[in-house]
């Protein structure tokens, strides 16, 4: 059997989709204080405790090689001893994220598959197929290619648009189209990415880290990333298990949480296509209604418009005029409700000025309270930084009309966080360019947009409202924003 066949068999036999990370992290200060040998001994002791207590709940174990390399020879020795203690029937995935070519890649493959005897490895595909081929020659082994990662700054490269899709989706499409099974690393704390990648890679196995300490939930990750047969995703957790007083109890809870999500998922499988089609149709209809509202309220116009920079733009977008039509505002409210459905939050925060009426529409549609930061802050009156009722620690869904750069958003985030509020997600109706998404990723905020401006241009072209030449002109100008 090859790796993915082994994974399928163990998933069936043990009724688990939990992947347990073995990542004994020591800070530089700890290493200097304890000494490398002592840290390596502690790492091995911790690993053996986890393996002993959790093997029956684990579909696979996943050591991250960096934590062992950081401890020199003693750390590598601890890794070998750790692997030796994992039962033969449990697959071992080395999280190495290697990415090189030719004899260097062959050497990496020999080290991981030949010497460590690992069953699978994570790889960085940036150098192309040349990176994967030396590993794929080990026909009984598995490869997981980095697709969408769990770090806040992932979008800096992964959201670059390629063929009208973000880069991470293009990677998923190309890997899933290869004539050999390749797994994909898709962040367990990015529900939107899991859903999108699953749509373009319906049969691939996902390795989904980011559960627990990085904010992901096992049940939500499963629901978003599972295949139609209730498998196809390794839900990975490391710190939440290793740092627990009883790793076995936490692993059991996670396994059962995934099982419950799986059972619920499969119980609805009798009408999966009908339900999925209805959901897709609703989103398509929502976008169509929104575009109609943009045109009827003249929030979107074609022509020649002078920008603040002095440049001439062939189009102009100003969503502030949506307030002229109550139905347009209702459509906007529904759009924000759709975007917010994959976010965890307690309260909505609109960004002045354009975001305030839209946040009000969203608040009424969703039934969540609303606040707004005073921008710029004024000393007179009550002197409050934020209007509305909130409590320190509340999770805030940040809301604005559109995004080009992150300037005004960053100002709002700073004000809200200064009052002890937590901001992880931003929802907008339209995204222009990619700079704003990069700015948000750097700030640790996930951006959710109803559409990119290129989708608007595409719709106008398909409906005969603009010509092919106009479409190209609009898209080309959009690239310069």
């Amino acid at each position: 059997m090859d790796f993915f066949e082994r994974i399928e068999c163990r998933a069936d036999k043990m009724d688990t989709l939990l992947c347990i990370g073995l990542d004994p992290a020591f800070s530089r200060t700890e290493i200097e204080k304890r000494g490398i040998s002592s840290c390596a001994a502690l790492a091995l002791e911790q690993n053996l405790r986890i393996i002993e207590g959790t093997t029956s709940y684990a579909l696979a174990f996943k050591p991250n090689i960096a934590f062992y390399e950081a401890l020199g020879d003693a750390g590598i020795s601890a890794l070998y001893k750790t692997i030796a203690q994992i039962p033969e029937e449990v697959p071992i995935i080395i999280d190495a994220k290697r990415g090189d070519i030719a004899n260097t890649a062959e050497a990496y493959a020999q080290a991981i598959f030949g010497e460590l005897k690992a069953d699978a490895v994570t790889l960085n595909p940036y150098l192309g197929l040349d990176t994967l081929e030396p590993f794929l020659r080990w026909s009984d082994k598995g490869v997981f290619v980095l697709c969408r990662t769990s770090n806040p700054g992932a979008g800096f490269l992964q959201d670059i648009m390629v063929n009208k899709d973000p880069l991470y989706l293009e990677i998923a499409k190309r890997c899933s189209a290869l004539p050999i099974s390749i797994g994909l690393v898709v962040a367990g704390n990015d529900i939107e990415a899991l859903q999108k990648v699953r749509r373009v890679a319906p049969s691939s196995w996902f390795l989904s880290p980011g559960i627990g300490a990085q904010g992901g939930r096992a049940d939500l990750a499963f629901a978003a990333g599972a295949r139609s047969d209730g498998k196809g995703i390794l839900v990975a957790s490391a710190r939440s298990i290793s740092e627990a007083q009883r790793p076995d109890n936490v692993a059991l809870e996670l396994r059962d949480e995934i099982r419950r999500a799986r059972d619920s998922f499969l119980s609805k499988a009798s009408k999966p296509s009908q339900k999925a089609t209805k959901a897709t149709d609703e989103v398509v209809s929502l976008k169509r209604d929104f575009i109609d509202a943009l045109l009827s309220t003249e929030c979107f116009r074609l022509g020649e418009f002078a920008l603040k920079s002095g440049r001439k733009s062939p189009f102009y977008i100003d969503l502030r005029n949506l307030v002229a039509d109550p139905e347009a505002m209702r459509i906007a409210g529904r759009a924000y409700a759709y975007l917010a459905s994959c976010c965890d939050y307690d309260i909505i925060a609109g960004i002045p000025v354009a975001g305030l009426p839209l946040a009000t529409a969203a608040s009424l549609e969703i039934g969540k309270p609303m606040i707004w930061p005073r921008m710029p802050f004024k000393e007179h009156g009550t002197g409050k930084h934020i209007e509305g009722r909130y409590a320190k620690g509340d999770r805030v869904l940040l809301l604005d009309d559109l995004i080009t750069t992150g300037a005004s958003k960053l100002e709002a985030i700073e004000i809200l966080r200064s009052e002890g509020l937590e901001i992880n997600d931003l929802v907008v109706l339209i995204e222009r360019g990619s700079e704003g998404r990069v700015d948000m990723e750097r700030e640790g905020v996930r951006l959710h947009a109803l559409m990119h401006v290129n989708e608007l241009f595409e719709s106008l072209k398909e409906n005969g409202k603009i010509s092919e030449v106009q479409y190209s002109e609009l898209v080309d100008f959009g690239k310069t924003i």
Side-chain angles (χ1 to χ4, degrees):
M1 289 190 293
D2 68 16
F3 171 76
F4 292 106
E5 289 172 334
R6 286 186 60 198
I7 284 287
E8 295 271 354
C9 288
R10 182 165 173 82
D12 289 338
K13 178 181 178 182
M14 303 301 295
D15 194 15
T16 181
L17 291 168
L18 177 63
C19 178
I20 298 176
L22 299 172
D23 303 346
F26 295 93
S27 68
R28 182 177 176 181
T29 301
E30 287 178 298
I31 293 173
E32 290 175 349
K33 183 178 179 180
R34 294 176 180 273
I36 282 180
S37 296
S38 177
C39 288
L42 285 172
L44 179 59
E45 179 184 342
Q46 173 182 287
N47 286 349
L48 298 185
R49 177 170 169 250
I50 293 171
I51 293 167
E52 181 181 4
T54 67
T55 292
S56 59
Y57 312 132
L59 176 50
F61 284 108
K62 181 179 70 68
N64 188 315
I65 201 168
F67 297 112
Y68 303 91
E69 291 175 335
L71 300 176
D73 291 342
I76 296 300
S77 176
L79 177 57
Y80 274 100
K81 292 175 181 176
T82 294
I83 291 173
Q85 292 302 310
I86 296 174
E88 187 177 353
E89 67 272 15
V90 185
I92 299 168
I93 304 168
I94 295 295
D95 193 356
K97 302 179 180 71
R98 300 299 193 216
D100 217 310
I101 60 172
N103 59 353
T104 307
E106 290 177 3
Y108 280 143
Q110 175 61 32
I112 291 168
F113 292 155
E115 294 303 312
L116 284 174
K117 311 297 183 188
D119 300 293
V121 65
T122 59
L123 297 179
N124 187 331
Y126 194 73
L127 274 67
L129 278 175
D130 293 357
T131 296
L132 310 184
E133 286 173 347
F135 293 87
L136 295 176
R137 292 190 199 116
W138 297 72
S139 59
D140 60 333
K141 305 295 185 179
V143 163
F144 287 92
V145 168
L146 298 184
C147 177
R148 182 62 171 189
T149 55
S150 58
N151 55 303
F156 177 69
L157 290 178
Q158 294 166 24
D159 285 331
I160 293 173
M161 299 301 288
V162 180
N163 299 329
K164 299 181 182 179
D165 279 320
L167 177 59
Y168 75 88
L169 278 185
E170 189 67 21
I171 289 171
K173 288 179 183 178
R174 296 195 180 201
C175 287
S176 64
L178 292 172
I180 189 170
S181 295
I182 291 179
L184 299 169
V185 177
V186 187
N189 58 355
D190 192 333
I191 301 304
E192 184 178 2
L194 280 165
Q195 293 170 332
K196 289 182 176 179
V197 176
R198 181 50 76 198
R199 283 196 287 269
V200 301
S203 61
S204 299
W205 270 91
F206 293 176
L207 175 62
S208 296
I211 304 302
Q214 288 183 275
R217 279 177 46 184
D219 56 344
L220 297 181
F222 173 86
R227 291 188 319 219
S228 59
D229 63 357
K231 293 185 284 190
I233 182 170
L234 283 151
V235 181
S237 181
R239 278 180 284 172
S240 61
I241 294 174
S242 64
E243 294 176 359
Q245 287 188 336
R246 289 290 303 272
D248 54 337
N249 286 349
V250 175
L252 174 60
E253 289 171 7
L254 285 170
R255 186 207 63 180
D256 288 348
E257 184 179 340
I258 299 167
R259 279 184 177 179
R260 288 191 294 272
R262 186 270 319 274
D263 292 344
S264 175
F265 178 87
L266 291 177
S267 71
K268 301 172 184 176
S270 57
K271 300 179 182 179
S273 299
Q274 181 180 352
K275 189 170 183 179
T277 300
K278 181 181 177 182
T280 301
D281 289 346
E282 287 175 352
V283 174
V284 170
S285 175
L286 178 59
K287 289 185 177 184
R288 184 175 59 246
D289 290 347
F290 176 65
I291 291 172
D292 289 344
L294 290 181
L295 299 177
S296 67
T297 57
E298 296 188 333
C299 288
F300 176 82
R301 289 184 287 166
L302 296 170
E304 187 176 281
F305 304 92
L307 302 179
K308 185 184 292 186
S309 63
R311 295 177 62 202
K312 300 292 185 181
S313 170
F315 67 92
Y316 187 69
I317 300 178
D318 184 357
L319 301 189
R320 287 173 291 189
N321 208 40
L322 285 173
V323 298
D325 182 357
E327 180 57 28
M329 291 296 285
R330 279 190 284 270
I331 292 168
R334 295 206 314 270
Y336 284 118
Y338 161 69
L339 295 171
S341 63
C342 63
C343 304
D344 288 324
Y345 62 100
D346 304 302
I347 198 165
I348 297 169
I351 299 179
V353 173
L356 293 185
L358 294 172
T360 303
S363 176
L364 292 170
E365 177 70 26
I366 299 169
K368 289 275 191 177
M370 172 187 158
I371 59 173
W372 56 275
R374 295 185 66 113
M375 296 168 57
F377 172 67
K378 297 178 182 179
E379 296 288 350
H380 61 267
T382 61
K384 292 192 295 185
H385 290 77
I386 301 172
E387 296 294 343
R389 296 175 62 181
Y390 61 92
K392 185 176 181 180
D394 278 349
R395 297 167 300 170
V396 173
L397 178 66
L398 196 60
L399 184 152
D400 208 354
D401 58 342
L402 51 77
I403 186 168
T404 304
T405 70
S408 62
K409 284 68 172 171
L410 295 174
E411 182 182 354
I413 290 169
E414 182 179 2
I415 293 171
L416 294 167
R417 285 179 173 168
S418 72
E419 295 293 308
L421 297 172
E422 181 181 326
I423 299 93
N424 296 314
D425 298 278
L426 165 68
V427 290
V428 299
L429 296 173
I430 296 178
E431 178 181 5
R432 294 189 295 195
S434 60
E435 185 179 345
R437 184 172 291 272
V438 172
D439 288 344
M440 292 300 98
E441 294 281 1
R442 286 174 178 162
E443 199 63 26
V445 175
R446 291 180 290 268
L447 172 62
H448 310 270
L450 179 66
M451 65 178 61
H452 192 278
V453 70
N454 286 351
E455 289 184 67
L456 172 59
F457 301 154
E458 183 75 28
S459 175
L460 294 175
K461 183 185 71 170
E462 289 178 354
N463 291 311
K465 291 184 169 59
I466 59 174
S467 67
E468 187 72 43
V469 173
Q470 285 177 299
Y471 170 75
S472 298
E473 180 186 15
L474 294 172
V475 171
D476 289 343
F477 184 83
K479 292 177 182 177
T480 68
I481 296 178

